[in-house]
Amino acid sequence: MGLTSNKMLALTILFAVLLFAGTVWLWPRLARRNWRAVSGRVGLLLATQLALFACLGIAVNQAFGFYASWGDLLGTETDQGVVVDYTAAGPGHGPVHVVSTSQVHGMGGSLPRTAGEVQQVDIVGRTTRIATPAYVYLPPEYFQPQYRTRTFPVTVVLSGYPGTASALVDKLHYPRTAQHLARSGKMRPMILVLLRPTIAPPRDTECVDVPRGPQTETFFAKDLPEAVRAHYRVGGKPGRWGWGVVGDSTGGYCALKLAMHHPDVYKAGAGLSPSYTAPHDPTTGDLFQGDRNLKNRSNLWWFLGHEPAPDTSLLVTSSKIGEKNYKDTMKFIARVQATNLTRISSIILDSGGHNFNTWRREIPATLQWISGRLGGS
């Protein structure tokens, strides 16, 4: 039974209710002062409290997508994003392998040409030799005959850590929002590639090419665009049209860094509630292994002060009340403005916490912004 399944939540709630009822029923029998009665009362109270906390924890995890599975929660997911050798031999062995497809819920119709399509895929890196699951949203226009020769702009969407790619579809509603905006003429039809920035779970790699470890930045800057171009009808070389990249929290930091480090690939990067440096904590370990240059370049403050200003567009978001990064965000905006080349935009809310509800309020404007900065044919 999956950690994020409704059955798991229902079973946990049922267990908590039964424990509560059992406590009420048995309490008079445990009213004595001997050690057995006292132990029984303590045990019932402790079990009931643990069951209530379990219900709350599972419900919160379902709402915010912190952990995708029991292995993810317990840290037993140690495989490097299903490490495989790249091969182009035959169907199903290319850089993108479609696992399943579904229509965009709430948009009407049952065919891809009217409702669009969300594909669950495995994406294989040619140079990094790693693979990761993802979702690809294809707009209805992708399947319509009049657009059969058209190429579409692409935006990579990254979750936070330890978030899940499915939460980008089910909780943050990126495909549904993109289709609403396109239908109302507020943005162009766009392909979305949705995945989490951690391609070596449970480690938080912060989109860094870890020495002797996962080459995360190379995967997103080189392998991912190559794989998507080989399988889908997207614009030619990224340098011609440019891609977009957007993310929240850790994914927001990655989005900004990828746009700044690789402006030839990502012409626009949006960070929703981003950080501006990579942390060093138990989830990341030592990402830099003593490589001072790698550490410096991963610090966006250092990059702005020591590297040539990248020819890209950036968007950052924060809240005056509820976000810890507000002051840093305003400083970052000022620092980017001083470069006179990198373009900067922002979404600043009056209030809003570091959570899905806040990001859902920012996503429509973010997708419109990023659509206006990408090309296509």
Side-chain angles (χ1 to χ4, degrees):
M1 192 177 297
L3 177 62
T4 60
S5 70
N6 290 329
K7 289 183 179 180
M8 185 66 206
L9 179 59
L11 183 62
T12 307
I13 293 174
L14 177 62
F15 183 64
V17 171
L18 291 176
L19 270 174
F20 177 77
T23 300
V24 173
W25 177 259
L26 293 172
W27 198 261
R29 302 183 184 186
L30 299 173
R32 300 176 183 178
R33 296 184 179 181
N34 60 55
W35 68 270
R36 292 182 178 178
V38 172
S39 298
R41 294 197 298 270
V42 170
L44 283 172
L45 289 173
L46 181 61
T48 304
Q49 293 296 319
L50 288 176
L52 290 173
F53 278 120
C55 292
L56 180 61
I58 291 173
V60 169
N61 186 65
Q62 276 198 351
F64 294 100
F66 295 122
Y67 299 97
S69 65
W70 291 108
D72 200 5
L73 173 65
L74 299 174
T76 57
E77 255 186 18
T78 57
D79 58 307
Q80 300 252 325
V82 192
V83 179
V84 297
D85 289 332
Y86 172 81
T87 174
H93 295 280
V96 175
H97 175 210
V98 179
V99 178
S100 64
T101 63
S102 62
Q103 271 64 60
V104 180
H105 297 298
M107 297 311 299
S110 59
L111 298 175
R113 64 174 178 267
T114 58
E117 186 171 88
V118 176
Q119 298 183 345
Q120 184 178 357
V121 302
D122 290 324
I123 298 179
V124 181
R126 180 177 63 85
T127 59
T128 58
R129 295 176 179 247
I130 57 178
T132 188
Y135 292 87
V136 175
Y137 162 68
L138 301 172
E141 291 81 0
Y142 189 88
F143 303 96
Q144 295 170 4
Q146 63 268 37
Y147 294 101
R148 65 183 180 276
T149 61
R150 176 177 173 176
T151 60
F152 291 81
V154 180
T155 290
V156 175
V157 183
L158 302 175
S159 71
Y161 176 85
T164 63
S166 61
L168 298 170
V169 178
D170 300 331
K171 308 298 183 183
L172 290 176
H173 310 306
Y174 270 97
R176 188 190 309 174
T177 303
Q179 193 168 140
H180 274 302
L181 292 171
R183 282 189 173 181
S184 62
K186 295 179 179 179
M187 64 171 277
R188 300 165 56 212
M190 180 189 301
I191 294 174
L192 303 179
V193 182
L194 309 105
L195 65 169
R196 60 181 184 177
T198 300
I199 58 175
R203 189 177 188 182
D204 177 10
T205 53
E206 296 283 326
C207 297
V208 169
D209 279 348
V210 181
R212 299 176 298 281
Q215 302 296 288
T216 314
E217 184 170 349
T218 296
F219 175 84
F220 285 111
K222 182 175 175 61
D223 286 348
L224 179 62
E226 285 186 356
V228 173
R229 287 202 311 274
H231 195 84
Y232 296 102
R233 204 165 66 248
V234 303
K237 295 183 178 180
R240 182 183 178 189
W241 299 117
W243 285 27
V245 56
V246 57
D248 60 75
S249 193
T250 297
Y253 161 74
C254 287
L256 296 177
K257 182 169 69 173
L258 289 168
M260 293 170 69
H261 285 190
H262 306 279
D264 56 325
V265 177
Y266 294 105
K267 293 298 185 185
L272 311 185
S273 309
S275 56
Y276 301 99
T277 61
H280 184 178
D281 58 31
T283 66
T284 64
D286 185 0
L287 293 173
F288 308 111
Q289 302 291 313
D291 188 328
R292 176 62 60 178
N293 182 60
L294 181 61
K295 183 176 182 179
N296 285 340
R297 282 179 54 81
S298 294
N299 184 318
L300 303 188
W301 303 108
W302 184 95
F303 191 90
L304 286 171
H306 295 82
E307 296 282 350
D311 184 11
T312 190
S313 297
L314 305 177
L315 180 143
V316 290
T317 79
S318 189
S319 304
K320 296 178 182 178
I321 300 174
E323 283 283 14
K324 295 180 179 179
N325 76 334
Y326 173 68
K327 290 183 178 180
D328 281 344
T329 295
M330 300 310 294
K331 291 178 182 177
F332 185 80
I333 292 170
R335 187 76 62 87
V336 174
Q337 284 180 308
T339 66
N340 296 320
L341 179 60
T342 307
R343 296 157 298 280
I344 185 73
S345 304
S346 69
I347 299 173
I348 305 297
L349 303 178
D350 288 332
S351 65
H354 197 79
N355 55 52
F356 281 7
N357 184 59
T358 297
W359 299 329
R360 280 192 291 262
R361 295 160 60 196
E362 298 166 342
I363 287 169
T366 298
L367 288 178
Q368 291 180 67
W369 175 87
I370 214 163
S371 171
R373 284 151 180 81
L374 304 182
S377 63

